[in-house]
Amino acid sequence: VVMVVLLYTISGVLVSPNKAIHAAEDLGYTNIRIVSKDIWFTGFKGCGGGDSALFIVHSTGPDGKQHDLTVCAGIFKGGTVRSR
């Protein structure tokens, strides 16, 4: 069990913040700034089973307002944007 958690965590370290930026850009967000990255127990924080990294992103939405987003991403998949 410990080895599985370590491997999953290591894969989270390898997830680039660019995945979060591109996922937000694809939905029309601009002025994107990564606030934080979390690689611990992302599944318990709203991410899916294939996600090994969670990014908190501050951005300007298509509506011109400021938004805080959560972007879940994995090493073998793209990013999924979730509103906070």
Side-chain angles (χ1 to χ4, degrees), residues 6-19 37 39 52-53 55 73-77:
L6 286 175
L7 288 174
Y8 194 71
T9 300
I10 289 169
S11 71
V13 169
L14 300 176
V15 176
S16 170
N18 287 331
K19 284 194 177 187
K37 178 181 180 180
I39 58 172
S52 53
F55 296 91
I75 194 164
F76 297 115
K77 64 179 281 297

Side-chain angles (χ1 to χ4, degrees), residues 3-81:
M3 188 60 111
V4 171
V5 172
L6 286 175
L7 288 174
Y8 194 71
T9 300
I10 289 169
S11 71
V13 169
L14 300 176
V15 176
S16 170
N18 287 331
K19 284 194 177 187
I21 293 169
H22 292 306
E25 285 176 339
D26 288 347
L27 294 177
Y29 290 88
T30 58
N31 302 320
I32 301 162
R33 182 173 55 91
I34 303 291
V35 177
S36 66
K37 178 181 180 180
D38 189 354
I39 58 172
W40 295 101
F41 305 107
T42 56
F44 293 111
K45 299 173 185 170
C47 293
D51 297 316
S52 53
L54 179 151
F55 296 91
I56 303 299
V57 175
H58 187 74
S59 62
T60 304
D63 58 0
K65 297 179 182 178
Q66 297 298 306
H67 295 273
D68 289 320
L69 307 171
T70 298
V71 181
C72 301
I75 194 164
F76 297 115
K77 64 179 281 297
T80 304
V81 178

